[in-house]
Amino acid sequence: MSTQTTDTGRTDSGTDFDAVVVGAGFSGLRMLIELRRLGLSAVAVEAGTDVGGTWYWNRYPGARTDSESWSYCFSSFPELLEEWTWKERYPKQQEVLDYQRFVADKFDLRKNIRFSTRVESASYDARSNTWSVRTDTGDTLRCTYFITGLGHLSVPHKPQFAGIDSFAGEVYVTGNWPKEPVDFAGKRVGVIGAGASAVQAIPVIAEEAAHLTVFQRTPNFVVPAQNHPLSEEQVAQIKADYPAIWQKAQSHVFGFPMSPAGRVYDDVTDEEREQVFEQGWRDGGFHYVFETFDDILIDQRSNDAASEFIRGKIRETVKDPVTAELLCPKGYPYVAKRPPAGHGYYETYNRDDVTLVDVLSDPIAEIVPGGVRTASGAEHQVDVLVFATGFDAVTGALEKIDIAGVDGRRLTDEWREGPQTYLGISNPGFPNLLFICGPQSAYANIPVVVEKVVWTLGQALERMGEQGLDRIEATPEAAAAWKAHLDEVLHMTLIPQGEKVGSWYLGANIPGKPRSPLFYFGGAGAYAQWLDGVVAKDFDGFVLSSSAEPAQVG
Ligand code: NAP
């Protein structure tokens, strides 16, 4: 077996590595840095040919962040904050990829990463306290800690429409876009989907294609991102402000450097409310939800007002009233589905060469050689089909790996009714399987959550090293209590209403997937407090033990 990627070679315990990490995106990279700090040997296994994770695979036209660049990066290393300069408020996919390459090079991480390699299965042997991790290159990597950094959105979902293989043209999937540029010039393009990926791709594809047909099922609430390049002065200000930026982001509900609005629905008159929403619209993106009213996610009246304001903007922007009405989301609250940020999105529907097809009232029946046929029999001719149809989110990537814990228990069996983790970090019955941003972790700006989880894991592994321990596992009681808390918090919000419109937050976008909350919606700040509490209380809810002795549940 090749071990060229190891720092230290075989470990004292007879494993190949102390830790195997799956993925080399934000989570995997940050974990490798932490493992190195702890003096543990590690290898990351990455399916792509480069680092980047989500930002490696999602190269579709228009792909860029919906988080502001200055908070979409690591906070822990002053040299990274100083040396890296963002170009735009919302960086393009390539810029985020470049950032991760910069991190990998800065910390010399590539020597610990096996690229073009996919983990297929992993099984735990209790007698030796060892995970055997098998890859598609035929290797078996033996390790003590099996750590996943798979990302929330890494298994694209492509609905299996009847006749899909008969299509005579080109087919692309936003979540697995080719590296080579796709030429849309002179072609009739069909985009299936109207989520965040489609909302970014549609205006860019429309610029190039001869004609664009958008097949929309559920319309989304799209607030303009209000992107702009960053001037030298703005960059200098951001760098000077970093301590305050991180302080805010780490305590903010969704991990953004924003302060609460300090007002709720009843605090203002109807007229004042419109002015507040107008300002939120001008500020753009997530500022609209988080800096207008603090009760948008919990008070139906506040949410209705925010929703109606957006519908007003759609009707104002889109000239054809029939198209405008089709684009207006109705019957579910704003943010019950993840709201996309727009870049000239609604304006695109004013083009003569863009058609919106409502596949809610007239669903896609089949794909035919020349395009898409809907239930009514209408046929839409296209040369290129783009699937922007989402992901088997959060649990999907973990369940693609055949993971067996104590006594051969399969993770997929454990999760038949939904995931059962403690803090999205550990699943009872799977010692030393550690998730970075696993199911039921906080839903928030990813790098902020990643850093907090990696810090927590680092604290645990450090403590274990000091005490001669080598096994960590959540207790079933802690996992059950976490699920009860997660459900309680979820039902304080309007987010459960997203189930009826297929929200991926709840597993509701994938046929047959258990309907179960995939996240903790109490906020990044509250989640961080939980993790701080766990560390302060000697890893309450986990059992830390030595494989030399039988595990004791405490
Ligand atoms: P998505 O939000 O799940 O949207 C998938 C779209 O495909 C929906 O419009 C869905 O309609 C449609 N669809 C699925 N199956 C269909 C079918 N059988 N017939 C017709 N339509 C169908 O997926 P996404 O746009 O890839 O975004 C997923 C998540 O990725 C986002 O919510 C966001 O968190 C993340 N993302 C982030 C960024 C960013 O930060 N810049 C950019 C892109 C994506 P229904 O809604 O009716 O199911």
Side-chain angles (χ1 to χ4, degrees):
M1 187 190 65
S2 154
T3 52
Q4 81 272 18
T5 46
T6 174
D7 261 344
T8 58
R10 197 165 278 269
T11 64
D12 293 345
S13 60
T15 54
D16 301 309
F17 302 96
D18 292 313
V20 170
V21 178
V22 199
F26 274 113
S27 298
L29 294 178
R30 186 64 189 79
M31 194 69 220
L32 280 180
I33 299 170
E34 185 66 7
L35 290 164
R36 196 179 285 173
R37 180 186 77 78
L38 296 169
L40 297 176
S41 65
V43 64
V45 181
E46 166 56 55
T49 60
D50 202 349
V51 300
T54 288
W55 300 98
Y56 172 90
W57 300 101
N58 284 267
R59 304 156 184 268
Y60 60 83
R64 58 171 79 237
T65 69
D66 285 350
S67 299
E68 286 159 328
S69 52
W70 50 88
S71 63
Y72 201 68
C73 51
F74 293 135
S75 66
S76 317
F77 309 102
E79 65 273 31
L80 292 184
L81 296 173
E82 189 47 47
E83 289 174 32
W84 181 262
T85 296
W86 292 106
K87 297 193 194 77
E88 287 185 87
R89 182 180 179 185
Y90 300 97
K92 287 194 176 112
Q93 170 265 336
Q94 184 64 53
E95 198 178 347
V96 186
L97 190 57
D98 287 346
Y99 171 76
Q100 294 197 37
R101 286 177 173 155
F102 164 74
V103 173
D105 293 338
K106 185 85 191 159
F107 288 91
D108 194 15
L109 299 177
R110 288 174 194 278
K111 66 181 183 193
N112 298 109
I113 304 173
R114 289 190 186 188
F115 292 106
S116 307
T117 307
R118 206 173 265 283
V119 171
E120 291 190 324
S121 66
S123 55
Y124 176 71
D125 175 54
R127 268 193 310 170
S128 60
N129 189 39
T130 300
W131 279 92
S132 294
V133 180
R134 283 167 288 276
T135 71
D136 64 354
T137 51
D139 285 336
T140 299
L141 309 171
R142 295 178 67 246
C143 60
T144 306
Y145 302 105
F146 177 44
I147 304 174
T148 64
L150 291 160
H152 292 149
L153 300 155
S154 39
V155 179
H157 164 61
K158 191 176 165 203
Q160 288 306 299
F161 295 113
I164 195 162
D165 295 330
S166 72
F167 185 61
E170 302 159 58
V171 176
Y172 301 98
V173 177
T174 50
N176 191 4
W177 201 262
K179 286 183 183 164
E180 306 72 38
V182 174
D183 181 13
F184 295 111
K187 295 176 187 164
R188 298 163 302 174
V189 181
V191 171
I192 303 178
S197 303
V199 162
Q200 290 186 333
I202 283 165
V204 181
I205 295 175
E207 287 287 327
E208 204 189 324
H211 191 93
L212 173 64
T213 304
V214 177
F215 299 91
Q216 171 196 268
R217 196 162 59 183
T218 312
N220 272 296
F221 292 96
V222 183
V223 172
Q226 313 288 17
N227 189 33
H228 57 75
L230 296 175
S231 66
E232 268 181 43
E233 292 72 32
Q234 285 167 324
V235 167
Q237 191 63 52
I238 288 165
K239 291 190 179 185
D241 285 349
Y242 265 130
I245 287 173
W246 296 121
Q247 199 186 14
K248 277 188 184 175
Q250 285 156 5
S251 54
H252 183 262
V253 60
F254 273 27
F256 295 129
M258 299 179 195
S259 302
R263 70 176 91 75
V264 292
Y265 181 84
D266 283 321
D267 289 342
V268 296
T269 64
D270 291 350
E271 197 182 322
E272 286 165 341
R273 197 173 299 114
E274 288 299 292
Q275 287 164 8
V276 170
F277 283 135
E278 190 63 52
Q279 185 59 48
W281 187 266
R282 275 200 295 272
D283 292 341
F286 287 113
H287 290 267
Y288 181 82
V289 56
F290 293 120
E291 290 186 334
T292 51
F293 293 92
D294 291 329
D295 54 357
I296 286 181
L297 294 186
I298 52 175
D299 185 327
Q300 189 71 57
R301 295 168 310 153
S302 193
N303 196 291
D304 286 347
S307 303
E308 191 50 34
F309 183 89
I310 299 174
R311 285 191 284 267
K313 288 289 186 189
I314 298 170
R315 291 175 183 128
E316 213 175 281
T317 308
V318 179
K319 294 194 183 112
D320 172 38
V322 176
T323 305
E325 258 351 273
L326 283 179
L327 287 166
C328 282
K330 291 169 195 136
Y332 74 95
Y334 171 50
V335 194
K337 279 173 93 91
R338 159 47 161 96
H343 301 261
Y345 178 66
Y346 291 122
E347 291 80 353
T348 300
Y349 292 94
N350 290 331
R351 299 176 64 115
D352 294 336
D353 51 7
V354 174
T355 308
L356 181 65
V357 175
D358 172 24
V359 293
L360 188 61
S361 62
D362 185 13
I364 295 173
E366 62 174 328
I367 308 294
V368 292
V372 175
R373 183 161 27 221
T374 58
S376 67
E379 209 168 295
H380 304 272
Q381 300 294 322
V382 295
D383 307 305
V384 180
L385 256 184
V386 174
F387 283 79
T389 40
F391 297 86
D392 183 355
V394 191
T395 49
L398 278 158
E399 293 190 308
K400 271 185 91 110
I401 303 173
D402 181 12
I403 298 179
V406 170
D407 299 330
R409 283 159 65 174
R410 291 298 200 278
L411 201 60
T412 40
D413 291 335
E414 302 287 309
W415 290 358
R416 237 168 252 271
E417 310 276 308
Q420 304 280 338
T421 78
Y422 181 41
L423 298 163
I425 286 181
S426 168
N427 202 91
F430 295 78
N432 292 346
L433 166 61
L434 299 167
F435 311 120
I436 305 167
C437 297
Q440 304 171 321
S441 61
Y443 185 72
N445 187 25
I446 277 287
V448 170
V449 186
V450 164
E451 288 211 295
K452 192 67 198 179
V453 172
V454 169
W455 172 82
T456 307
L457 296 181
Q459 295 296 304
L461 297 178
E462 192 163 9
R463 183 85 53 94
M464 290 163 71
E466 286 161 5
Q467 297 178 357
L469 307 177
D470 60 0
R471 193 167 53 195
I472 176 171
E473 180 184 356
T475 67
E477 294 77 18
W482 181 243
K483 173 75 166 71
H485 175 60
L486 190 122
D487 282 339
E488 189 187 349
V489 170
L490 177 74
H491 289 284
M492 287 162 67
T493 74
L494 303 172
I495 291 169
Q497 294 186 47
E499 187 176 342
K500 62 187 170 203
V501 281
S503 167
W504 63 262
Y505 290 164
L506 308 170
N509 65 324
I510 302 292
K513 185 164 175 162
R515 299 320 189 224
S516 180
L518 296 173
F519 293 103
Y520 169 61
F521 284 102
Y527 183 65
Q529 280 178 15
W530 268 91
L531 297 181
D532 288 342
V534 164
V535 173
K537 284 189 255 159
D538 222 3
F539 295 91
D540 193 22
F542 292 91
V543 180
L544 274 47
S545 60
S546 163
S547 58
E549 294 160 19
Q552 285 173 14
V553 176

